[in-house]
Amino acid sequence: MPVVQGYTFEKEEAGEAVRWEEVGKALNDVGMQASEMGRAVQEVVGMVKRRREQGEKIVLAFTSNLISSGLRDMFTMMAREKMMDVVVTTAGGVEEDFIKCLGPTVLGDFALDGADLRSKGLNRIANLLVPNDNYCKFEDWMKPILDAMKEEQDKDNAAWTPSTMIDRFGKDIKDPTSFYNQCHEGNIPVFCPSLSDGSIGDMLFFHAFKNPGLVLDTAGDLNRIAGCLKGAQKVNVICLGGGLPKHHSLQAVRLAQSALSSLVLINTGPQFDGSETGMSEANDKSEGRIAKDSTVIRLHSEATLVFPIIMQRALAQLAN
């Protein structure tokens, strides 16, 4: 068994440059969550190798706050490099990507007064700030797209699901910094069964009064996500956060009658409230969503802090 020890930075104190690769390797033997992060690195490397060599598939699932954060840029790179086969997220995780193309999200503070921000036309997402004007720009951008989709439905019998709507948005944004633009370019389907639960839902609501009849078939995406994973003997899931993205990803593996090879789960949820986010591995196994022989690595950490480290270390190993 490895001896518990940590990196001392003695070489750096003597004037040498920081050797980040050595720091990363040393974290494996620190214990606690640092060692779990080391296991997560090795599992992500294994996922990518098995995908290349054995045809296994990778699902990237995440909650909306991570698109609001700077992790969006990392996700965009992953889509550009086609490092996943399927994406699962929530409504905010869709719309915030396009909103960032139309106006910047800026860094604020966790302690800012909410009522004061409201009076200034600023929306707070943790310590991030989004001006109201950005949402107005998003509404102006989205209205003609919804009209065009309604026309294509009526004239060409186009059948829209949340995933095909997201793909249409990704196509029309024409911005390579957009995660969903890169998903469109790479033919990576994005699934969001809760697409109406956010600003997009507001747009759909008001559009139904001005141009009624646009149909969004949520159930149709169940067949599509199962079809995307069907044929792969095994599927791997990287889930940042929990709730809907976690549940829907694991459900999709079952619908496709595939086997879950591994799950890397990063969130801060406790198991004691019975939530999907905090649910333990044993609980998931009791419900049949995780097989007895599936590899599960649960990292009790905040994803914006640890996922960049995991991906840097994984990509460095894969490059070698």
Side-chain angles (χ1 to χ4, degrees):
M1 292 184 178
V3 175
V4 175
Q5 56 188 349
Y7 193 81
T8 62
F9 291 97
E10 291 177 354
K11 295 177 182 178
E12 287 75 9
E13 191 176 25
E16 295 186 26
V18 178
R19 303 181 181 185
W20 290 112
E21 191 58 33
E22 292 184 15
V23 175
K25 290 178 180 178
L27 289 174
N28 296 347
D29 298 329
V30 168
M32 311 302 177
Q33 293 303 294
S35 295
E36 291 303 295
M37 184 169 65
R39 292 183 62 216
V41 170
Q42 297 309 312
E43 191 53 46
V44 170
V45 170
M47 286 181 185
V48 175
K49 286 183 176 180
R50 294 193 301 271
R51 182 173 181 263
R52 291 174 178 173
E53 299 166 6
Q54 302 172 29
E56 294 189 10
K57 294 194 175 182
I58 295 177
V59 178
L60 175 65
F62 54 83
T63 46
S64 67
N65 55 319
L66 301 182
I67 281 287
S68 301
S69 79
L71 283 193
R72 168 185 181 252
D73 301 285
M74 182 176 295
F75 296 161
T76 303
M77 178 278 295
M78 293 172 67
R80 189 177 296 118
E81 298 299 320
K82 298 183 180 179
M83 296 182 67
M84 76 286 279
D85 301 282
V86 167
V87 174
V88 177
T89 189
T90 57
V94 174
E95 60 204 27
E96 290 292 332
D97 175 71
F98 300 115
I99 289 169
K100 280 186 170 183
C101 294
L102 304 170
T105 296
V106 298
L107 195 61
D109 191 281
F110 286 103
L112 292 174
D113 181 79
D116 182 56
L117 291 174
R118 181 72 175 174
S119 69
K120 297 176 180 177
L122 294 170
N123 301 269
R124 185 166 73 86
I125 305 169
N127 61 345
L128 314 177
L129 299 176
V130 185
N132 278 343
D133 188 51
N134 291 10
Y135 291 97
C136 295
K137 292 176 181 176
F138 179 56
E139 181 178 1
D140 292 340
W141 175 77
M142 188 171 163
K143 280 179 181 177
I145 299 176
L146 293 180
D147 286 336
M149 291 172 62
K150 171 64 165 53
E151 183 176 359
E152 290 168 30
Q153 173 188 289
D154 294 343
K155 291 185 176 180
D156 305 326
N157 295 318
W160 298 104
T161 68
S163 67
T164 57
M165 176 178 276
I166 295 166
D167 183 68
R168 177 59 172 269
F169 293 163
K171 174 186 176 183
D172 286 358
I173 195 66
K174 295 181 174 61
D175 184 342
T177 69
S178 162
F179 173 57
Y180 298 110
N181 174 264
Q182 293 305 301
C183 287
H184 167 76
E185 294 295 330
N187 197 29
I188 301 168
V190 180
F191 296 93
C192 179
S194 63
L195 190 59
S196 62
D197 186 32
S199 182
I200 291 176
D202 295 342
M203 310 294 180
L204 292 170
F205 177 79
F206 291 116
H207 185 266
F209 286 98
K210 296 178 180 179
N211 190 0
L214 180 64
V215 176
L216 198 61
D217 179 15
T218 303
D221 265 352
L222 292 175
N223 293 327
R224 189 177 183 214
I225 192 170
C228 289
L229 299 178
K230 202 172 185 65
Q233 287 190 340
K234 293 189 176 181
V235 177
N236 304 274
V237 177
I238 300 172
C239 182
L240 312 180
L244 183 150
K246 172 178 175 255
H247 184 276
H248 200 64
S249 299
L250 297 179
Q251 179 192 39
V253 178
R254 293 173 65 187
L255 290 175
Q257 297 180 319
S258 297
L260 180 70
S261 177
S262 65
L263 167 66
V264 171
L265 177 64
I266 304 174
N267 65 43
T268 57
Q271 65 172 301
F272 311 107
D273 61 3
S275 68
E276 180 64 36
T277 300
M279 191 174 290
S280 68
E281 176 185 343
N283 203 137
D284 281 318
K285 285 183 175 179
S286 75
E287 297 187 4
R289 289 182 294 176
I290 294 177
K292 185 178 180 180
D293 60 347
S294 298
T295 299
V296 179
I297 298 172
R298 173 75 180 274
L299 197 55
H300 294 268
S301 302
E302 204 276 302
T304 62
L305 184 63
V306 298
F307 192 60
I309 300 173
I310 290 171
M311 289 306 300
Q312 185 278 326
R313 292 181 60 198
L315 290 171
Q317 288 190 37
L318 290 165
N320 294 329

